[in-house]
Amino acid sequence: MRLDVTGLLDTAEFIASPNCDERPPGVDINLLVIHNISLPPDEFGGDGVIELFTNRIDPATHPYYQSLQGLKVSTHFFIRRDGTLIQFVPCNQRAWHAGVSSWQGRERCNDFSIGIELEGSDTTPFTDAQYEVLTALTQCLCEQYPIQDIAGHSDIAPGRKTDPGPWFDWGKLSLCVTKHLDSTE
């Protein structure tokens, strides 16, 4: 796994999302935010997430999609249940994944974070394939950027968000990630 100078990953399928913009000048990327998503809710393997992140979701396809009309969101990375990795926004750009958020006293987490969505929900365990890809991706990102923390969406938007949810096993991220974060303190 390698990132190019723009922050595109060589092992991910790239599907460009319009839901991004330039990061503020001089801001270091030092936070990874872990999310979960499935569209329709609790259904896996379809194109709903891709359609949402590329502004092509059809509200007539599923009743839940009506609540998503006009929503402009994306993430940098999406890891499917089988470990397939899709990138929607180059890491050097700001993806619109965190919304109203704060981490350690800093507002607007989109400015200084990379968002990683896991295909899943708050009611279903994640797969070993997802943890393997997440660990490799996290290690790659930690080698490229001055990552200091990894947080869940629920950590940066408490009371508003619950993901990655109770089934996310923080202990499954490899020790090399923990060692990297410890060495940056």
Side-chain angles (χ1 to χ4, degrees):
M1 246 182 221
R2 290 195 173 184
L3 288 164
D4 70 15
V5 295
T6 67
L8 285 174
L9 191 67
D10 64 352
T11 57
E13 175 186 1
F14 182 66
I15 301 173
S17 171
N19 303 324
C20 62
D21 58 4
E22 296 300 317
R23 292 183 187 271
V27 172
D28 284 337
I29 300 167
N30 57 23
L31 176 66
L32 300 182
V33 179
I34 310 298
H35 305 260
N36 78 47
I37 190 170
S38 58
L39 291 175
D42 294 308
E43 293 182 24
F44 309 129
D47 289 332
V49 173
I50 294 169
E51 292 166 355
L52 176 65
F53 291 164
T54 58
N55 299 339
R56 295 180 297 134
I57 199 153
D58 180 357
T61 306
H62 189 276
Y64 181 79
Y65 291 179
Q66 293 171 12
S67 68
L68 304 176
Q69 275 187 291
L71 191 62
K72 305 282 187 202
V73 296
S74 188
T75 192
H76 292 92
F77 297 99
F78 176 54
I79 304 173
R80 288 196 175 271
R81 309 284 296 168
D82 66 0
T84 300
L85 182 59
I86 300 171
Q87 185 171 8
F88 291 95
V89 175
C91 294
N92 292 354
Q93 290 189 305
R94 175 174 51 191
W96 303 342
H97 64 94
V100 176
S101 55
S102 174
W103 181 248
Q104 297 184 349
R106 293 177 70 191
E107 303 289 321
R108 300 175 49 97
C109 292
N110 286 339
D111 291 351
F112 56 92
S113 68
I114 291 174
I116 303 170
E117 294 270 6
L118 299 173
E119 185 175 34
S121 70
D122 287 0
T123 62
T124 308
F126 298 94
T127 68
D128 288 340
Q130 287 178 296
Y131 285 111
E132 288 172 21
V133 172
L134 177 61
T135 298
L137 175 60
T138 301
Q139 182 177 1
C140 177
L141 294 170
C142 286
E143 290 170 359
Q144 183 72 28
Y145 301 102
I147 303 298
Q148 296 174 350
D149 293 301
I150 302 172
H153 199 186
S154 58
D155 298 318
I156 65 169
R160 188 174 68 83
K161 293 296 181 177
T162 60
D163 57 313
W167 287 102
F168 185 75
D169 185 348
W170 289 97
K172 285 196 176 183
L173 288 180
S174 79
L175 289 176
C176 63
V177 173
T178 304
K179 287 179 184 173
H180 173 81
L181 293 176
D182 289 344
S183 71
T184 61
E185 293 178 0

